Amino acid sequence: MSNALVIAPQWIGDAVMTEPLLRRLHARGERLTVGALPWVAPVYRAMPQVAEVIEFPFAHGGLQFKARRAIAKRIEGQFGKAYVLPNSLKSALLPFLASIPERIGYLGEARVGLLTHRLKNPKNKPPMVAFYSALSGEGDLASDRPELHISAADIALTLHELGLRQGGYVVFAPGAEFGPAKRWPARHFAELAARLDLPVVLLGSGKEAALCDEIAAPVNAAQAGKCLNLAGKTSLPQALALIAASRSIVSNDSGLMHVAAALGVPQVAIFGSSSPLHTPPLSDKARVLWLKADPAYQPPLDCAPCFERECPLGHTRCLNDIGAQQVLQALSSH
């Protein structure tokens, strides 16, 4: 068995979408160690094919050359291959400094000398799962679907700690790190919560606590205790367990959307400025709402997908015009 180091992407959704690649590598006898930033490391611990996770002490931005060199020195001689999943120069630096003989990744950011096996970046944006799986050098990638596994014990512990019941609630993940043009309006989330038969658990980062409160407050004022705002109050492993145990989840195009798909949870994924052709939730239990693809929606959304953080035209019709009733219907189709 050969030892391979995988340099992980820095976003939760991207981390989930690398799982089929890692499954392919493991199936052909590679022992996988993943180097990941602390906020994505739990995703790789939910992949049985990963033997070990090294948490990198790097912050966003900056080369942090000294820290990379120190880790490279520590792991030198342990790996025959490295798969560099992000396209940045700094992500390719550590395997190079560790003198790992084979270093595989996409061309990008002037890192030709840092990689020994370089794939050309495709001209048209392919689905991201296939983009990552191509680093295996294998074909037939179109059917790859991410899978995550949370143990029954971890789920039971999290539910016990938070006083929740398996299948007894719906999760909302109303945030999207990228910007407001990917976020379904809070008032629509609140209307949906008020109309659901089950309680709602709101998940997100600490930065999204105020957004989640904007949803929960009016609903709880009318129906005490209907919404539980846990944004910023759970660890990522707890959030994964809560999604795994939920009845269903409603989210924007975000990292937690991909988590839900990989856990096989019934979900409704709402797309605005981005495209489900590029980053779809890959699950038979996923329903995607995207007005761009709705022939009945008039006038057509010629501006979508714009991939902008904020609506360049100022109307954000792509999200404002998806009503709570539409989401409710999509949820009940499961």
Side-chain angles (χ1 to χ4, degrees):
M1 184 176 272
S2 62
N3 289 335
L5 175 68
V6 177
I7 304 294
Q10 63 177 347
W11 303 109
I12 289 169
D14 284 272
V16 173
M17 289 186 281
T18 66
E19 189 277 335
L21 165 66
L22 273 58
R23 208 176 337 135
R24 285 173 176 273
L25 302 179
H26 177 261
R28 65 191 192 199
E30 298 185 30
R31 183 187 184 275
L32 303 175
T33 297
V34 175
L37 294 164
W39 54 87
V40 296
V43 174
Y44 288 99
R45 295 194 180 102
M47 299 181 192
Q49 67 271 41
V50 174
E52 191 185 348
V53 178
I54 299 171
E55 290 198 18
F56 289 156
F58 311 138
H60 272 305
L63 207 51
Q64 294 149 87
F65 185 82
K66 213 170 162 184
R68 287 177 205 278
R69 190 174 57 189
I71 294 173
K73 211 168 183 179
R74 201 172 77 227
I75 65 171
E76 198 167 346
Q78 293 180 27
F79 301 100
K81 278 184 183 176
Y83 296 89
V84 182
L85 276 40
N87 263 4
S88 62
L89 171 70
K90 62 186 178 186
S91 59
L93 201 52
L94 194 145
F96 174 77
L97 293 171
S99 304
I100 296 173
E102 279 188 65
R103 304 183 299 277
I104 301 144
Y106 281 97
L107 277 169
E109 267 200 21
R111 58 189 198 163
V112 172
L114 301 180
L115 299 171
T116 60
H117 295 66
R118 300 174 292 275
L119 277 72
K120 281 186 179 172
N121 273 287
K123 279 196 176 80
N124 300 318
K125 280 187 172 181
M128 283 302 290
V129 170
F131 176 80
Y132 287 125
S133 290
L135 290 169
S136 66
E138 298 172 2
D140 191 26
L141 310 174
S143 59
D144 277 7
R145 289 183 163 205
E147 295 172 14
L148 296 178
H149 300 270
I150 313 294
S151 74
D154 285 345
I155 289 173
L157 179 64
T158 299
L159 291 176
H160 176 71
E161 285 171 347
L162 295 165
L164 293 164
R165 183 172 56 80
Q166 178 124 13
Y169 57 91
V170 174
V171 164
F172 283 4
E177 190 79 26
F178 186 69
K182 282 177 81 172
R183 293 187 206 124
W184 197 45
R187 67 183 185 279
H188 289 355
F189 270 112
E191 185 187 340
L192 178 63
R195 294 172 68 174
L196 288 173
D197 295 333
L198 290 173
V200 171
V201 171
L202 293 127
L203 294 179
S205 67
K207 285 186 285 187
E208 290 154 355
L211 168 66
C212 290
D213 204 45
E214 197 184 327
I215 296 163
V219 180
N220 287 340
Q223 304 174 62
K226 180 78 184 277
C227 289
L228 178 61
N229 180 3
L230 294 179
K233 295 175 184 168
T234 64
S235 64
L236 182 56
Q238 285 178 314
L240 299 185
L242 286 170
I243 291 170
S246 68
R247 167 67 187 83
S248 53
I249 176 172
V250 179
S251 75
N252 302 308
D253 171 19
S254 65
L256 295 185
M257 175 194 79
H258 292 290
V259 165
L263 290 169
V265 174
Q267 68 184 129
V268 175
I270 301 165
F271 279 74
S273 67
S274 58
S275 165
L277 305 176
H278 181 49
T279 52
L282 292 168
S283 165
D284 293 337
K285 294 183 177 176
R287 302 284 178 271
V288 170
L289 294 180
W290 192 40
L291 290 179
K292 170 74 173 183
D294 182 355
Y297 179 72
Q298 295 297 326
L301 274 175
D302 297 331
C303 52
C306 67
F307 295 104
E308 298 289 342
R309 290 177 185 276
E310 298 192 28
C311 176
L313 304 174
H315 54 60
T316 323
R317 275 173 49 213
C318 57
L319 291 168
N320 285 326
D321 290 356
I322 296 174
Q325 181 59 30
Q326 266 177 282
V327 180
L328 197 59
Q329 279 173 336
L331 269 179
S332 58
S333 70
H334 283 296

Coordinates of all heavy atoms in Angstrom, one line a residue, residues 7 31 62 64-65 70 78 89 109 130 178 186 233 243 246 250 274 282 287 295 298 311 314 332:
I7 N -3.9 17.4 -0.1 CA -4.0 18.7 0.4 C -5.5 19.2 0.1 O -5.9 19.3 -1.1 CB -3.0 19.7 -0.3 CG1 -1.6 19.2 -0.1 CG2 -3.2 21.1 0.3 CD1 -1.1 19.2 1.3
R31 N -3.0 4.6 0.8 CA -3.4 4.9 2.2 C -3.4 6.4 2.3 O -2.4 7.1 2.0 CB -2.4 4.3 3.2 CG -2.7 4.6 4.7 CD -1.6 4.2 5.6 NE -2.0 4.4 7.0 CZ -1.9 5.6 7.6 NH1 -1.4 6.6 7.0 NH2 -2.3 5.7 8.9
G62 N -2.1 34.9 2.9 CA -0.7 34.8 3.3 C -0.1 33.5 3.0 O -0.7 32.5 3.0
Q64 N 2.6 32.1 4.7 CA 2.9 31.4 5.9 C 4.0 30.4 5.7 O 3.9 29.2 6.0 CB 1.7 30.8 6.6 CG 0.7 31.9 7.1 CD -0.7 31.5 7.0 OE1 -1.2 30.9 7.9 NE2 -1.4 31.8 5.9
F65 N 5.1 30.8 5.0 CA 6.1 29.9 4.5 C 6.8 29.2 5.7 O 7.0 28.0 5.6 CB 7.2 30.8 3.8 CG 8.3 29.9 3.1 CD1 8.0 29.3 1.9 CD2 9.5 29.7 3.8 CE1 9.0 28.6 1.3 CE2 10.5 29.0 3.2 CZ 10.3 28.4 1.9
A70 N 8.0 24.0 8.3 CA 8.1 23.2 9.6 C 7.3 21.9 9.4 O 7.8 20.8 9.8 CB 7.5 24.0 10.7
Q78 N 7.6 10.4 4.3 CA 6.5 9.6 4.7 C 5.5 9.3 3.5 O 4.7 8.3 3.6 CB 5.6 10.3 5.8 CG 6.4 10.4 7.1 CD 5.5 11.1 8.2 OE1 4.3 11.1 8.1 NE2 6.2 11.7 9.1
L89 N -1.0 28.6 -5.3 CA 0.4 28.4 -5.2 C 0.8 27.8 -3.8 O 1.5 26.9 -3.7 CB 1.2 29.7 -5.5 CG 2.7 29.7 -5.2 CD1 3.4 28.9 -6.2 CD2 3.2 31.1 -5.2
E109 N -1.7 29.5 -10.9 CA -0.9 30.4 -10.0 C 0.6 30.1 -10.1 O 1.2 30.0 -9.0 CB -1.5 30.3 -8.6 CG -2.5 31.3 -8.2 CD -2.7 31.6 -6.7 OE1 -1.8 31.2 -6.0 OE2 -3.7 32.1 -6.4
A130 N -16.6 16.0 -10.6 CA -15.8 15.4 -11.7 C -14.5 16.1 -11.9 O -13.4 15.5 -12.2 CB -16.6 15.5 -13.0
F178 N -20.5 33.1 0.5 CA -20.2 33.9 -0.7 C -20.8 35.3 -0.7 O -20.2 36.2 -1.1 CB -20.5 33.1 -2.0 CG -20.1 33.8 -3.2 CD1 -18.7 33.8 -3.6 CD2 -21.0 34.3 -4.1 CE1 -18.3 34.5 -4.7 CE2 -20.5 35.0 -5.3 CZ -19.2 35.0 -5.6
A186 N -34.6 36.1 4.4 CA -34.9 35.7 5.8 C -36.5 35.6 5.9 O -37.0 34.7 6.6 CB -34.3 36.6 6.8
K233 N -23.3 28.0 17.7 CA -23.4 27.3 19.0 C -23.0 25.8 18.9 O -23.0 25.1 19.9 CB -24.7 27.4 19.6 CG -25.1 28.9 20.0 CD -26.5 29.0 20.5 CE -26.9 30.5 20.7 NZ -28.3 30.6 20.9
I243 N -27.7 17.3 11.0 CA -28.2 17.2 9.6 C -28.6 15.7 9.3 O -29.6 15.4 8.8 CB -27.2 17.7 8.6 CG1 -27.1 19.2 8.7 CG2 -27.6 17.4 7.1 CD1 -26.0 19.9 7.9
S246 N -31.9 14.7 10.8 CA -33.1 15.6 10.6 C -34.1 14.9 9.7 O -33.8 14.0 8.9 CB -32.6 16.9 10.0 OG -32.1 16.7 8.7
V250 N -33.6 22.5 4.4 CA -33.7 23.6 3.4 C -32.5 24.5 3.5 O -32.2 25.0 4.5 CB -35.0 24.4 3.6 CG1 -35.1 25.5 2.6 CG2 -36.2 23.5 3.6
S274 N -25.8 31.4 -8.4 CA -24.9 30.3 -8.8 C -25.7 29.3 -9.6 O -26.9 29.5 -9.9 CB -24.2 29.7 -7.6 OG -25.2 29.2 -6.7
L282 N -25.7 16.3 -5.1 CA -25.8 15.0 -5.9 C -26.4 14.0 -5.0 O -25.8 13.2 -4.3 CB -24.4 14.6 -6.3 CG -23.7 15.5 -7.3 CD1 -22.2 15.2 -7.5 CD2 -24.4 15.4 -8.7
R287 N -34.1 18.2 -4.1 CA -35.0 18.9 -5.0 C -34.3 20.3 -5.1 O -34.1 21.0 -4.1 CB -36.4 19.1 -4.4 CG -37.1 17.8 -4.1 CD -37.6 17.1 -5.4 NE -38.2 15.8 -5.0 CZ -37.6 14.7 -4.9 NH1 -36.3 14.6 -5.1 NH2 -38.3 13.5 -4.7
P295 N -39.4 27.2 -17.0 CA -40.0 27.8 -18.2 C -41.2 28.6 -17.9 O -41.6 29.5 -18.7 CB -40.3 26.6 -19.1 CG -40.3 25.4 -18.3 CD -39.4 25.7 -17.1
Q298 N -41.7 34.1 -15.7 CA -41.6 35.2 -16.7 C -41.5 36.5 -16.0 O -42.1 36.7 -14.9 CB -42.9 35.2 -17.6 CG -43.1 34.0 -18.5 CD -41.9 33.8 -19.5 OE1 -41.4 34.8 -20.0 NE2 -41.6 32.6 -19.8
C311 N -26.5 41.2 -6.2 CA -27.2 41.3 -7.5 C -26.7 42.6 -8.3 O -27.0 43.7 -7.7 CB -28.7 41.3 -7.3 SG -29.6 41.6 -8.9
G314 N -29.7 44.8 -8.8 CA -30.4 45.3 -7.7 C -31.7 44.7 -7.3 O -32.4 45.2 -6.4
S332 N -42.6 18.5 0.5 CA -43.7 17.5 0.7 C -43.6 16.5 -0.4 O -44.3 15.4 -0.4 CB -45.0 18.1 0.8 OG -45.3 18.9 -0.4

